[in-house]
Each structure stands twice: as C-alpha cells, then as structure tokens.
Amino acid sequence: MAGNKNRREHRHATMADVAAHIGVSRQLVGLAFRNAPGVSAETAARIFAAAEEIGYQPNLAAQALRREGSKYIGVAYHTSHSSTEELLPAIYKEAESRGYKLVLSAISHDRDDQEAINEIIGHRCDGVILISSSLPISRLKKLATSIPLVSLSRRVSGVNCGVVASKGESGIFDAVKYLISLGHEAIAYVDANEMFDHEFRLQGYKTAMKDAKLKPSIKTISGDYIESAGAEAANLFLSAGELPTAIVCANDQIALGLAYAFQKAGVKIPKDVSVIGYDDTIARLPFLDFTTVHQDAVELASAAVSDLAERIEGKKSKAETYLTSAKLVVRSSTAKPR
Amino acid sequence: MAGNKNRREHRHATMADVAAHIGVSRQLVGLAFRNAPGVSAETAARIFAAAEEIGYQPNLAAQALRREGSKYIGVAYHTSHSSTEELLPAIYKEAESRGYKLVLSAISHDRDDQEAINEIIGHRCDGVILISSSLPISRLKKLATSIPLVSLSRRVSGVNCGVVASKGESGIFDAVKYLISLGHEAIAYVDANEMFDHEFRLQGYKTAMKDAKLKPSIKTISGDYIESAGAEAANLFLSAGELPTAIVCANDQIALGLAYAFQKAGVKIPKDVSVIGYDDTIARLPFLDFTTVHQDAVELASAAVSDLAERIEGKKSKAETYLTSAKLVVRSSTAKPR
DNA sequence: CAGACAGACTAGCACGTGCTAGTATTTTGT
DNA sequence: ACAAAATACTAGCACGTGCTAGTCTGTCTG
C-alpha cells in the first residue's frame, strides 16, 4: 500500500495527468502531441500549457513500443576515433530533420561491436549506422538481413547495406599529385594496416606515384587512429638515415604523432619535410594548420542518414555505395622540397 | 490486411515466439530471462536455446515501460572533450556491474544540455550523470528535485546532487611543488577560464607559489579543451620576451598545443622549458610522454555510478562531493631549469 | 425540417514485458 | 499414508502510448 503510494508520488507525469489537469481525455492530449487533426487550436494551447506546467515529457519507451516504427536510428561508434567527434553531431542534426531520434551505443575495449549492436536491437531501432565497425563480413551480412544497415567509414562489399565513406583513393591521389607539383620526388606514405579502408588510401598513393614514374616508399605501422603510431613511423624514417622530402599519412592523428616526433628531433616542417594528413579533424586546428584531405562530416552524415531512411521506408535493400568527396586542403605543413 | 501481415513478418521475435517455439508459457520465458527462481535447469536451457535460434532480443522499451525502475542511467556528455573518451567506457563497465544500462545523449554545438537531458528524461532513466555540464545552477537545482543527479567533472555547490571530480587543487599543487624541487622559480600557469573547475586548479597553483614565496605568473586564455588555446598561450610567452623555465597547463590538450608551438619555434622541451599538463589523456601517449596529473577515469566513473545508484535507491538525496585522487605522473617533459 | 456532414472529442484495444497471484505436480515430514 | 511444503509452471493485469473506430454537438443543404 505504502509502496504503491510511493510509486505514484515519484513517477513522472503522463498524458493522463495532463488530461486530468484540464479535464479532457487522455486521447486528446495524444492527438495534440502528435500534431494530429481533430484538436481545436484553443484546446491544443491549453494542453501544451498544462504539459509545461506539470513538466510532462513523452515516455519514449511507450512510444517506441506502440508505434509501428520506433523512429529510432541506432549508432554504434568508437569513443576513441577523433573523426566521430564531428560525425555524431552531424548525424544528430540530419536524423532529427527526418524525425528520427538516435540511440548511441559505444564500442570500446571492454565493449565489442556485437554488444553495441545487441543494445541497438533491444531498443528496436528502425535502422543502424555502424561507424568503422570491425564486425566480420559474415556477421554484417546476417545483420543486414534483419535490419536496415549502413556502414559508415568502412567500405564493405557483398553486404546488402548502404556504404558511405569518403573517397580515400582520390583524396590521397590528389595529395601526392600536389606534392609532385611542388617538385617533390621522394614521397613516402605511412600506411596504418589496422585502419579500415586503409587499402584505398594506399592505392591512391601507389597510383599517383606510378603515374609520375616515381618509386613508392611505404612504411606500414600497426594501430589505427593512434598518434604514437605516427611517432613510431617518424623514428623509422629517422633511423633509416635517408629522409624523404615529403610524407603522406593515412590520417591526421598519425600525421600529428609523426610531426611531433620530427619537431622533437629538430626536423622542421615544412622546411625539411612536408607532411600531409587525412580527415581534416585535428589538422584544421590553427596551431597545427596541416595540409590534409578534408572529409566532410556533414556530407557523410547526410548520405548515411538519407540512405538508411530509404532502406527503412523499404525503398531499397540492395548494396549501394556512396563515396563522398575527399578534397585536398592546402595549409602550412607543405612546401617545396629542401 | 496485407499491411498487418507485413508487420507480423517483419517484427522482431518476442517472448511469446520463444515460448510457442518450445510449447511453454510466455511467462516462463520471462522468468528464465530474469533469472528468477521457479524454472527448472532443463527448461531454462531449452528456452535459451530457442531464443538463440529465433534470434530473440528482449525489447528494452517494453522492459523500461513495465519495470518499476527503468534500470537506465542517462549520460549527457560532450563529444569534443578528450577526457570523456576514457570516461564513457569506464561508466559502461561500472553501470553494467550494477545492472544498469546507459542512455547516451550527446551535447554539441547544435544540441544543448537541455535537449540532451530532455531525451534522457523521455527514456525515463532512473538517474542522470552530467559530464562537464554547462547548465546554470538554477536549472541544476530544479533538475535535482525531479531525478537523481550526479555532476561529473564539474563541482557545483548548493545543488542536491552528487558531485564527482578530481581534486584539481592538490594535483596542480603537487605539480608546482615538484617543479620547485627541481629548482624552478619562474613557473607560469596557463588558465582556461571557460573550463569548468578551472578555479580549483588555479588555486592549487597560487597556493603552491605563495608557500614558496614565488611570484605567480598567469596567462588566461579563452576556450577550454582546445589545443589551439595552448598554442595561443605559447605565442603569448614567446612574444613577451622573458620565457619562464616551467609552465603548468590547466589540461593536457592545452599542454599539447603549447608544446607544439614551442617546438615549432625552436624552444626545446624540457631543455628550455618544462611543461606539465592535467588529465593524463594524451599526455600518456608515448610520443608525447608528458608529465601530467593523472585523473583516474575508472575511479571517477566508479564514484559517479555508485553515488548515483545510492540516490536511485533512496539512500541519499542531499548534496555530497567526492573528490578523486589527482596524482602527479612524472614523465619526460620536465627537467631542471635551463 | 430532416438528413448529411464536419469538427471536436472519447472508447478501447494493442504493443511486449514485469510482477503478483494463482494452479498443478512432486517431494518431504511425521 | 496423509498433510504440508517446495517446485514448476500459468493466468491476467498493468505500464504509457498510438491508432482505429466510434460518439456527440452543431451547421449546412435541399
């Protein structure tokens, strides 16, 4: 009895409370909140005023349970990737404009992709966006059969999902071409073989070098979005004796680590070595001002959400790839060769 | 008719489906999934096997709706703070061990604290953890009356919520003391006045300098967790002519920006200037290896979740502050004065 | 002036689960 | 051997909302 009363006291306001407060039916409050026809303007105003007064907030669990579609999009992402910092807000905005709410599910050392996805499915999201997911293709295929799916920043093939990523090969290609136009010939590339889509960026480098009949020089490092990997690469170059005149890195974080290690060793950027990154996340910070390849978070988010929305609405279900622009942004970490 | 059928086909499996599959009641499946007594081991095994086969995942919305407490903890956080990268996984782990799931709600440029909190309330979370929330005290007070609340990494007073933060004043105090022990006298501090709790860290610096009868030198910069702010500070020092022999920064990101700008200008660290950060996020990366003040994410997360859990269980409701350790970690960015 | 119609509102079921209150069936105690 | 108790299971309501199918009042039409 006491427990029951206690519960009543501490529970949040419901539509019924709002309705009772102004003497209308619960259903009418529902209509008003859904902007459905059949509510007089005057009554609607009273309903919203009452809701505000009692502090009513719709119960999302009840909505998701009852509605045909939950109107949720699940997003599984890594907390440690700097590129998601910009991606998430952009996805929020894009999803909201289409009437979707987001269910965020973090992936980290202690929480793998599958756990993150299970939670999303538990929320009965209408669709899922996986950012840089490391899920094996076989699981992705299976997942795609049970829920609309978009793989963001990881290009997969043979899976019936949307794929959205920036066109790494052309971004890196342009970067190398630019260096060549500056007069560089000894252009090295730092490849991060644990990073998704690294092979496309690498390919852009190889193609550009081949086109110019230059000898490629590739340093492959482990780790993905890790500054220390970049520093490690820098030390490889330093200990090898012969320093290239320009170095292209698979992403900004690697470029930062590399640049930092170089500066520390007295190697000046861009005077001694030109450095280019990829992503335009930290590269854009004024103190770094690195030349990099810009990956537009808004464009990526927009493409991912709109593709997913079409899948949710049943307009498509087959594999489809959308590669967003990857534009070279020239800043102050590049100059003519020494 | 067709639409109805379609819905049936595409909906996710429910407990009823699992039950029908092996010929038991829906309730028994519920008991099994809740690990409640009254299910024979043999039947439980059959139930789980069937669930696995059909791909059943509990509907979290239905659970949250029906259960007395939703068993959710809402977490509002900024995507752009590097310290949350470690905090989130730690909170996940801690919450999970207490039987809570997380509802993440991001705060960004386009999505303010209030929006994030409204979503959390919409999910009927049992409690909220606000990380570095910029909500005005008046709103915090109001919020604390309606839901158990913990403010993480922002010290507030006069609000009936739990407060968990690292003890900035003692961390910075120790850092300055250490520099003094190395022989430094010209020790400057870079204050970020938009960062929460910056005043405590600043106070630690002032106290340590006063104790040693040294003249404090403070550069205040705008922005909070921004590398560029650190670079800006470095340029202030450089243009001022007289360089201090040691600089303590309000956080790691500022220290990185500052160090980078110094290196670029040919100022060696630690030979010319010793630099200390705070947070031990990027400072710990091998390529930086900065001396810093370690803020333990696991300790912070543990304190925040356990305080919140007690509030949810009604064991406390008044303001309570828990300051976690802030331990100086000596690495290679500090040395004797030049 | 009756009938059709539109606007404003209400009734009642359904979503998938948790939980209390049961009912059979087997085991235990004396 | 018979009641008591434990075990294994089922019945049915409730959570807060969306949605279909109503009802009621008043106005328009011919």
Side-chain angles (χ1 to χ4, degrees):
Chain A
M1 197 52 92
N4 207 1
K5 192 183 170 192
N6 195 29
R7 179 174 187 182
R8 290 244 133 210
E9 275 170 11
H10 282 302
R11 82 192 212 294
H12 276 84
T14 68
M15 283 191 174
D17 297 325
V18 176
H21 199 252
I22 54 172
V24 296
S25 70
R26 196 269 304 163
Q27 288 78 359
L28 196 62
V29 178
L31 288 179
F33 268 88
R34 270 173 282 146
N35 288 322
V39 188
S40 70
E42 190 202 356
T43 312
R46 283 173 58 218
I47 288 174
F48 291 130
E52 171 81 8
E53 193 188 332
I54 329 187
Y56 168 72
Q57 286 279 119
N59 186 325
L60 299 178
Q63 290 185 337
L65 182 60
R66 189 59 187 85
R67 222 169 9 207
E68 176 89 8
S70 63
K71 281 289 174 187
Y72 283 142
I73 288 176
V75 181
Y77 73 104
H78 293 262
T79 52
S80 59
H81 289 189
S82 70
S83 55
T84 55
E85 280 181 24
E86 305 202 344
L87 224 37
L88 276 185
I91 294 176
Y92 261 110
K93 207 169 185 177
E94 193 65 27
E96 194 178 8
S97 74
R98 291 169 183 270
Y100 287 97
K101 285 188 176 296
L102 255 43
V103 171
L104 303 185
S105 195
I107 301 169
S108 67
H109 185 69
D110 312 302
R111 197 166 187 274
D112 64 20
D113 298 59
Q114 193 59 54
E115 270 183 89
I117 291 170
N118 283 346
E119 191 185 353
I120 287 171
I121 292 178
H123 279 286
R124 295 297 183 268
C125 293
D126 297 328
V128 192
I129 295 176
L130 299 180
I131 305 181
S132 307
S133 166
S134 55
L135 222 57
I137 296 284
S138 60
R139 293 207 78 94
L140 282 178
K141 279 185 179 170
K142 201 172 169 187
L143 186 61
T145 63
S146 68
I147 190 170
L149 185 69
V150 166
S151 173
L152 183 51
S153 294
R154 177 188 175 189
R155 299 205 224 166
V156 292
S157 52
V159 180
N160 282 333
C161 68
V163 173
V164 177
S166 68
K167 202 170 181 179
E169 55 274 47
S170 81
I172 294 288
F173 181 89
D174 291 349
V176 176
K177 281 287 177 197
Y178 169 70
L179 288 169
I180 293 172
S181 78
L182 284 178
H184 289 273
E185 295 190 338
I187 304 170
Y189 183 77
V190 178
D191 182 31
N193 66 359
E194 290 177 21
M195 181 183 84
F196 283 110
D197 293 356
H198 75 102
E199 65 270 29
F200 299 103
R201 300 186 188 178
L202 177 60
Q203 191 53 53
Y205 167 75
K206 284 181 178 168
T207 308
M209 293 299 274
K210 196 175 178 186
D211 280 7
K213 296 196 172 63
L214 293 174
K215 188 160 162 279
S217 157
I218 300 160
K219 290 269 184 287
T220 301
I221 53 176
S222 53
D224 46 7
Y225 290 87
I226 307 180
E227 286 86 348
S228 16
E232 191 189 309
N235 294 327
L236 284 178
F237 284 118
L238 290 170
S239 62
E242 190 72 6
L243 215 58
T245 64
I247 301 175
V248 179
C249 300
N251 65 47
D252 277 358
Q253 275 163 287
I254 290 171
L256 168 58
L258 177 125
Y260 194 91
F262 273 151
Q263 305 263 28
K264 203 168 173 179
V267 176
K268 296 284 181 191
I269 294 169
K271 212 182 102 217
D272 300 327
V273 182
S274 287
V275 172
I276 296 185
Y278 192 107
D279 280 348
D280 200 17
T281 53
I282 38 184
R284 77 162 59 153
L285 296 176
F287 84 101
L288 279 180
D289 199 47
F290 276 4
T291 297
T292 190
V293 177
H294 180 74
Q295 205 179 195
D296 196 58
V298 174
E299 194 184 350
L300 285 167
S302 166
V305 174
S306 71
D307 181 275
L308 188 62
E310 287 184 27
R311 283 170 196 279
I312 291 173
E313 291 158 15
K315 290 183 190 160
K316 54 173 144 172
S317 63
K318 296 290 172 198
E320 203 160 300
T321 300
Y322 186 78
L323 298 182
T324 67
S325 63
K327 219 165 51 186
L328 181 70
V329 180
V330 176
R331 297 208 186 91
S332 64
S333 65
T334 41
K336 291 190 176 174
R338 62 179 179 265
Chain B
M1 197 48 90
N4 207 2
K5 192 183 172 193
N6 197 27
R7 178 175 187 181
R8 290 244 134 210
E9 276 170 12
H10 282 303
R11 85 191 210 292
H12 276 84
T14 69
M15 283 190 176
D17 297 325
V18 176
H21 199 253
I22 55 172
V24 297
S25 69
R26 197 269 304 163
Q27 288 78 358
L28 197 63
V29 178
L31 288 178
F33 269 88
R34 271 172 281 147
N35 286 322
V39 188
S40 71
E42 191 203 354
T43 312
R46 282 173 57 216
I47 289 175
F48 291 129
E52 172 80 6
E53 193 188 331
I54 327 188
Y56 168 72
Q57 285 281 121
N59 185 324
L60 298 177
Q63 288 185 338
L65 182 60
R66 188 59 187 86
R67 224 168 7 206
E68 176 89 8
S70 63
K71 282 290 174 183
Y72 283 142
I73 289 177
V75 180
Y77 73 103
H78 294 263
T79 52
S80 58
H81 289 189
S82 71
S83 55
T84 56
E85 280 181 24
E86 306 204 343
L87 225 35
L88 276 186
I91 294 175
Y92 260 111
K93 208 169 183 178
E94 193 66 26
E96 194 179 6
S97 75
R98 291 170 183 271
Y100 288 97
K101 286 188 177 295
L102 257 43
V103 171
L104 302 185
S105 194
I107 302 169
S108 67
H109 185 68
D110 313 301
R111 196 165 188 273
D112 65 20
D113 298 59
Q114 193 60 54
E115 267 183 273
I117 291 170
N118 283 347
E119 190 185 353
I120 287 171
I121 292 179
H123 278 286
R124 294 298 182 270
C125 292
D126 297 328
V128 191
I129 295 176
L130 300 179
I131 305 180
S132 307
S133 164
S134 56
L135 222 57
I137 296 284
S138 61
R139 293 207 78 94
L140 281 178
K141 280 186 179 170
K142 200 173 171 187
L143 185 62
T145 64
S146 69
I147 190 169
L149 186 68
V150 165
S151 173
L152 183 51
S153 293
R154 178 187 175 191
R155 299 206 224 167
V156 293
S157 50
V159 180
N160 283 332
C161 68
V163 173
V164 176
S166 68
K167 202 170 182 181
E169 55 274 48
S170 80
I172 294 289
F173 181 89
D174 291 348
V176 176
K177 280 289 178 193
Y178 169 69
L179 288 170
I180 292 171
S181 79
L182 284 178
H184 289 273
E185 294 189 339
I187 304 170
Y189 183 78
V190 179
D191 183 30
N193 66 359
E194 289 176 21
M195 180 183 82
F196 284 111
D197 295 356
H198 75 104
E199 65 270 29
F200 300 103
R201 300 186 187 178
L202 178 59
Q203 191 54 53
Y205 167 74
K206 284 181 178 168
T207 308
M209 293 300 274
K210 198 175 176 188
D211 281 7
K213 296 197 172 63
L214 293 175
K215 189 160 162 276
S217 158
I218 299 160
K219 290 271 184 288
T220 302
I221 52 175
S222 54
D224 48 6
Y225 289 85
I226 308 180
E227 285 86 350
S228 16
E232 191 188 309
N235 293 329
L236 284 178
F237 285 118
L238 290 170
S239 62
E242 190 73 5
L243 215 59
T245 63
I247 301 174
V248 179
C249 300
N251 64 48
D252 277 357
Q253 273 162 286
I254 291 172
L256 168 58
L258 178 125
Y260 194 91
F262 273 152
Q263 305 263 28
K264 203 169 176 178
V267 176
K268 294 284 182 189
I269 294 169
K271 213 183 102 213
D272 301 326
V273 182
S274 288
V275 172
I276 296 185
Y278 192 109
D279 282 348
D280 200 17
T281 53
I282 38 184
R284 77 162 56 157
L285 296 176
F287 84 99
L288 280 179
D289 199 45
F290 276 4
T291 297
T292 190
V293 177
H294 180 73
Q295 205 179 198
D296 196 59
V298 174
E299 194 184 351
L300 286 167
S302 166
V305 174
S306 70
D307 181 276
L308 188 63
E310 287 184 26
R311 286 171 195 279
I312 291 172
E313 291 159 15
K315 290 184 188 160
K316 54 171 145 175
S317 62
K318 297 290 173 197
E320 204 160 299
T321 299
Y322 185 78
L323 298 182
T324 68
S325 62
K327 219 164 51 186
L328 181 70
V329 180
V330 177
R331 296 206 185 91
S332 65
S333 66
T334 43
K336 291 190 174 173
R338 63 181 177 266

